[in-house]
Amino acid sequence: MKYISTRGKAPKIKFSETLLTGLANDGGLYLPESYPRLDEMALKNLRSKSYSELAFEIMKLYVDDNDIPHLDLKQIIDKTYTKNIFSYNREIQDPADITPATKVKNNLYMLSLSNGPTLAFKDIAMQFLGNIFEYLLKKNNQQLNILGATSGDTGSAAEYAMIGKKGVNVYMLSPQGKMSAFQTAQMYSLNENNIFNIAIQGVFDDCQDIVKGVSNDLKFKSKNNIGAVNSINWGRIIAQIVYYFKGYFAVTNNSDEMVDVTVPSGNFGNICAGHIARMMGLPIRRLIVATNENNVLDEFYRTGVYKPRSSDQTFHTSSPSMDISKASNFERFVFDLLDRDEEQLRDLWSKVDKGQGFDLSMTNYFGKIKNFGFSSSSSNHEYRVKIIKQMFEEFGLIIDTHTADGFKAAYDHMDESSDIKMIVLETALPTKFEETVIEAIGQKPKRPAGLEDIEKLPQFSVNMDNSIENVKKFIESH
Ligand SMILES: *Cc1c(COP(=O)(O)O)cnc(C)c1O
């Protein structure tokens, strides 16, 4: 299996190379040359597997044995998806589950993805990346400087996954004062030799632009072995594909049954994995993109017009991990939508890279969005509060603000008359965003043990203005 860049001007590379490269040298994102297809028989065989068995069966389809021997891959996966790492925040009945599904009511389910160390779904991919990075760096006798941008959850997931990993340093850019108190404490309280928190004066998109700016300086990038763990990293997508299968098997009995899946979305990484699961043959009827007030993606799926916004037009909301107005992984979906026509993709993204948008509403491609099963909805603070309250009062379920955006979209799209099941992905535990949860239900969600006083710990971070050059200098001097 070789990987190609969406922009078609970078050499094809192997799986292990996509992990260490991040963005392709032509500015594009890596995707496999083709998606492996699983038929009904294959799905049937996967149905009864434990999480780590399933992860191996799916991921090995994307990794050549002569790139990473499958026996090694299996060991890395088995080491990652354990009860110790993933049922640490919640009583999980079956530890082999990792991502248990809860029935909320008839045909409505929640798939819990937030049982890892930082209480958000990003742990699922990041813990895998941490282990596979350490494996590869050791094998290649290499050092990696990970440069990332976070709106809150990526950063902590990356840092906790890289603590003590040999050969890895982490430089994490976060928007100053824009994360929840808990998120900030989770990241900045780390005092590790290989982890650097850089607080940028700006919003998440500014941080992401700095990462892109540094990565586009190819000389700097190769001299300093800069790598990425942002959701553009193919290793994250591949690890996220797994739980779509797990969730599907958990709520269905037969592999010809269709389901709908709603995904709280920001950078489009999570739902991109859902798109790929569907391309592999998982019977997903609809993928529903749930956005908050930053509804650029919702606007695209409704109108065919993609208009990324600048950072000063990006709202700071109570579901901050979705405060994104330029979704990196969206490029992967549009590549497939364009039948993988790299020239057209380059044309569209030359506009996006200049801060402009594009309009597909008058093209055949817009009609094809339906063939890919996509629908969308947006939410806002009022809905979040209402839904959190409603889920608590009706079902005794306390959900976080991002998951609430998901349920809002799911309710918009559920049709009670059909018996198609709807799965909403839970992307974080309510503790991470407890300010809004308290506003909604008048009580504080119970914190996982050991995290009760995390805000009181000393914090370690460096403040910096919005400057590519300053970040480069910092990395070089460390
Ligand atoms: C990152 C994140 C999202 C958005 O996921 P994307 O992959 O960026 O679309 C949603 N909710 C939470 C809690 C997150 O941390």
Side-chain angles (χ1 to χ4, degrees):
M1 177 74 78
K2 282 279 193 303
Y3 288 81
I4 55 173
S5 163
T6 48
R7 307 210 185 165
K9 298 243 172 182
K12 291 184 190 179
I13 60 176
K14 296 184 285 198
F15 173 78
S16 62
E17 294 169 316
T18 67
L19 297 181
L20 301 175
T21 309
L23 267 189
N25 286 349
D26 60 1
L29 276 65
Y30 283 108
L31 272 176
E33 269 180 320
S34 64
Y35 299 121
R37 288 282 304 182
L38 298 171
D39 58 16
E40 219 179 299
M41 198 57 210
L43 288 176
K44 199 171 161 215
N45 289 332
L46 293 177
R47 181 169 279 279
S48 57
K49 305 248 181 248
S50 72
Y51 194 95
S52 66
E53 287 166 349
L54 186 61
F56 175 63
E57 293 301 325
I58 290 172
M59 291 199 217
K60 77 175 187 198
L61 302 172
Y62 289 97
V63 183
D64 291 337
D65 192 54
N66 64 11
D67 177 21
I68 297 177
H70 285 179
L71 272 175
D72 293 355
L73 181 68
K74 178 146 185 32
Q75 270 179 9
I76 294 165
I77 289 171
D78 286 346
K79 180 173 153 188
T80 304
Y81 298 107
T82 66
K83 179 177 183 275
N84 280 349
I85 301 176
F86 284 100
S87 56
Y88 144 92
N89 301 303
R90 194 193 307 250
E91 290 296 319
I92 294 185
Q93 283 169 348
D94 178 1
D97 249 5
I98 306 292
T99 59
T102 310
K103 183 167 182 167
V104 177
K105 64 169 186 176
N106 283 346
N107 291 338
L108 179 63
Y109 291 81
M110 181 172 88
L111 187 69
S112 301
L113 305 178
S114 318
N115 305 312
T118 71
L119 327 194
F121 84 95
K122 294 190 172 74
D123 287 326
I124 293 183
M126 214 62 92
Q127 289 287 326
F128 168 71
L129 271 194
N131 287 328
I132 201 160
F133 274 178
E134 192 175 51
Y135 166 86
L136 285 174
L137 294 171
K138 186 171 169 213
K139 192 162 130 182
N140 304 347
N141 191 19
Q142 228 182 323
Q143 173 84 28
L144 187 69
N145 288 305
I146 291 171
L147 174 62
T150 186
S151 55
D153 296 330
T154 304
S156 53
E159 293 178 358
Y160 283 75
M162 303 301 163
I163 291 174
K165 292 281 186 283
K166 286 181 210 75
V168 185
N169 287 326
V170 179
Y171 299 86
M172 189 55 63
L173 313 182
S174 52
Q176 233 173 79
K178 303 286 194 303
M179 303 183 293
S180 78
F182 184 90
Q183 285 179 311
T184 307
Q186 225 179 8
M187 287 181 59
Y188 295 179
S189 66
L190 288 179
N191 187 16
E192 301 282 331
N193 290 334
N194 69 333
I195 296 189
F196 302 94
N197 280 304
I198 303 177
I200 298 288
Q201 215 149 51
V203 294
F204 167 73
D205 289 313
D206 297 319
C207 300
Q208 183 157 273
D209 284 343
I210 295 177
V211 172
K212 284 202 169 176
V214 174
S215 301
N216 286 338
D217 181 343
L218 300 183
K219 231 171 85 190
F220 182 88
K221 187 178 164 187
S222 76
K223 181 166 162 241
N224 293 290
N225 292 318
I226 302 293
V229 289
N230 274 52
S231 58
I232 55 165
N233 194 301
W234 172 251
R236 287 189 52 188
I237 307 280
I238 190 184
Q240 291 172 178
I241 294 172
V242 178
Y243 54 70
Y244 283 85
F245 282 82
K246 192 73 192 162
Y248 175 79
F249 294 136
V251 310
T252 61
N253 296 312
N254 287 305
S255 300
D256 55 1
E257 188 178 339
M258 295 284 240
V259 299
D260 290 341
V261 186
T262 300
V263 188
S265 292
N267 227 340
F268 208 76
N270 195 350
I271 201 164
C272 183
H275 161 67
I276 294 172
R278 190 174 176 280
M279 299 295 275
M280 292 173 73
L282 191 68
I284 297 175
R285 181 182 64 161
R286 285 184 305 181
L287 281 163
I288 294 154
V289 184
T291 71
N292 63 16
E293 291 89 326
N294 298 295
N295 57 354
V296 174
L297 292 169
D298 176 40
E299 188 172 80
F300 173 77
Y301 286 99
R302 280 185 293 107
T303 66
V305 177
Y306 181 58
K307 253 194 321 221
R309 298 178 196 148
S310 62
S311 55
D312 54 342
Q313 297 169 305
T314 303
F315 302 105
H316 174 38
T317 76
S318 50
S319 48
S321 302
M322 291 158 60
D323 291 348
I324 292 171
S325 301
K326 206 193 303 172
S328 316
N329 277 291
F330 184 56
E331 179 170 341
R332 287 190 160 114
F333 169 74
V334 173
F335 186 56
D336 284 343
L337 184 67
L338 299 175
D339 297 318
R340 300 195 151 201
D341 182 334
E342 4 177 278
E343 207 175 308
Q344 284 210 58
L345 187 113
R346 274 202 301 277
D347 189 45
L348 297 183
W349 253 265
S350 69
K351 294 179 188 148
V352 172
D353 287 341
K354 280 192 232 117
Q356 301 161 1
F358 56 76
D359 180 355
L360 298 182
S361 65
M362 305 305 279
T363 68
N364 290 336
Y365 297 118
F366 185 52
K368 266 184 57 195
I369 286 174
K370 273 203 242 35
N371 305 347
F372 283 95
F374 275 83
S375 302
S376 69
S377 248
S378 67
S379 176
N380 59 36
H381 183 75
E382 212 180 315
Y383 280 119
R384 278 191 283 283
V385 170
K386 197 175 131 217
I387 296 257
I388 292 170
K389 186 161 185 280
Q390 184 189 337
M391 299 303 282
F392 181 61
E393 287 175 353
E394 271 184 53
F395 311 112
L397 209 61
I398 305 183
I399 56 171
D400 96 291
T401 49
H402 305 76
T403 310
D405 288 333
F407 275 101
K408 152 69 168 67
Y411 279 126
D412 285 349
H413 288 273
M414 261 178 83
D415 78 65
E416 302 278 350
S417 60
S418 100
D419 50 7
I420 295 218
K421 289 168 182 152
M422 169 70 81
I423 305 173
V424 177
L425 302 191
E426 177 224 53
T427 54
L429 290 194
T431 284
K432 280 199 113 159
F433 305 97
E434 64 191 11
E435 293 87 343
T436 308
V437 176
I438 293 169
E439 182 185 338
I441 63 170
Q443 57 173 283
K444 201 167 154 170
K446 192 166 163 267
R447 286 211 176 166
L451 301 174
E452 293 86 353
D453 290 318
I454 193 168
E455 289 95 335
K456 299 196 182 118
L457 297 175
Q459 301 194 353
F460 307 88
S461 68
V462 185
N463 290 338
M464 218 174 271
D465 43 343
N466 179 2
S467 149
I468 296 177
E469 285 316 310
N470 287 354
V471 170
K472 281 186 187 165
K473 272 188 217 135
F474 185 88
I475 295 174
E476 279 194 314
S477 69
H478 287 80

